[in-house]
Amino acid sequence: MLTYTEENYLKAIYHLSGEDQREVSTNAIAEALLTKPASVTDMLRKLADKSLVHYVKYQGVSLTRKGRKEALLVVRKHRLWEVFLVDKLKFNWDEVHEMAEQLEHIQSTILIDRLDAFLDYPSFDPHGDPIPDQKGDLKIRKKFLLSDVPVAFSGKVIALADTSPVFLQYLDRLAICPGCAIQVTDKIEFDGSLELLLNAKKKIVISNEVAKNLYVH
């Protein structure tokens, strides 16, 4: 059984390593977890002793197969709890991250599997991120940043690059969320702003910075 801190480290390494599972630096982990590099080094040695990470000093760290499995379990719990809090307890999507951070450390596998069944086995959380199944498999969708698509593109918002509360609150004001249909009607050459038709009826303008944080399909 892993400690709360060990689970947080594995999850942080998983997120920082990205889809290509690249090596992660000690400084990047320290910045993500708001701690000192020396503390990170000590923890990485402990995780390496448990065969959870591949770690060589000054060369970065990556998850072992065992470590990735444990990280995905934490991610699975976090995202299932977010679905529960939004869909069943009616919290706003900008309110649930911190609560899910606490709930993700519950150890009961039976509880999490029953939660999954109770929610009818969701594939994605409220922010559009894929939820690992019992085996740790993810349903991966091809996605593009909205800032990179051409004028006349039509599709749907499927996920977010930024899930900070302030950004989610701003998206609420625009009525943008995963599942929304969008069409790019124009792109402003001066600053990259986009004119959009939202759900085939509402015209809005968003900045390039917002577009760089929306994934579409």
Side-chain angles (χ1 to χ4, degrees):
M1 187 176 295
L2 301 178
T3 67
Y4 181 105
T5 303
E6 288 171 338
E7 288 188 336
N8 280 342
Y9 268 79
L10 293 176
K11 187 179 71 167
I13 296 168
Y14 170 78
H15 286 310
L16 290 168
S17 65
E19 294 182 0
D20 54 355
Q21 299 181 47
R22 58 187 175 273
E23 289 191 337
V24 179
S25 71
T26 299
N27 287 338
I29 299 170
E31 183 177 349
L33 296 177
L34 303 178
T35 190
K36 297 177 180 178
S39 299
V40 174
T41 299
D42 290 341
M43 177 55 72
L44 293 181
R45 291 195 184 106
K46 293 178 182 178
L47 295 175
D49 288 342
K50 293 185 176 183
S51 300
L52 295 167
V53 300
H54 297 295
Y55 173 62
V56 178
K57 194 172 182 179
Y58 305 122
Q59 294 185 24
V61 62
S62 60
L63 296 172
T64 63
R65 181 177 295 182
K66 177 182 176 183
R68 180 176 169 82
K69 180 179 179 181
E70 294 290 347
L72 284 167
L73 175 59
V74 180
V75 171
R76 168 176 163 79
K77 291 186 288 185
H78 182 101
R79 293 176 179 173
L80 283 173
W81 283 119
E82 286 195 334
V83 175
F84 175 76
L85 292 166
V86 171
D87 289 359
K88 303 302 180 181
L89 299 189
K90 305 306 177 184
F91 283 97
N92 292 331
W93 66 340
D94 60 288
E95 298 177 309
V96 297
H97 179 73
E98 293 300 325
M99 287 180 274
E101 287 277 291
Q102 300 173 50
L103 292 165
E104 71 186 21
H105 297 290
I106 293 174
Q107 296 294 332
S108 174
T109 302
I110 295 176
L111 171 61
I112 300 306
D113 289 345
R114 290 192 179 183
L115 175 65
D116 193 14
F118 176 69
L119 296 171
D120 197 24
Y121 306 102
S123 296
F124 302 94
D125 73 9
H127 310 112
D129 292 316
I131 300 173
D133 64 16
Q134 290 174 314
K135 298 179 181 179
D137 293 329
L138 293 163
K139 187 175 182 179
I140 303 299
R141 297 177 290 186
K142 192 172 185 179
K143 60 187 180 182
F144 309 91
L145 287 174
L146 181 56
S147 56
D148 294 336
V149 303
V151 174
F153 168 87
S154 291
K156 287 187 176 182
V157 176
I158 62 170
L160 314 174
D162 181 354
T163 58
S164 64
V166 66
F167 185 61
L168 297 178
Q169 291 161 13
Y170 180 66
L171 292 184
D172 278 337
R173 290 173 58 187
L174 298 175
I176 294 177
C177 63
C180 290
I182 59 166
Q183 180 181 350
V184 180
T185 57
D186 198 9
K187 186 170 187 175
I188 311 304
E189 186 175 350
F190 172 68
D191 61 0
S193 298
L194 297 180
E195 293 182 1
L196 305 177
L197 183 62
L198 184 63
N199 292 323
K201 57 184 178 181
K202 181 181 178 182
K203 294 182 179 180
I204 62 172
V205 177
I206 63 170
S207 69
N208 181 254
E209 186 64 27
V210 172
K212 288 192 296 185
N213 283 286
L214 295 175
Y215 286 111
V216 294
H217 177 74

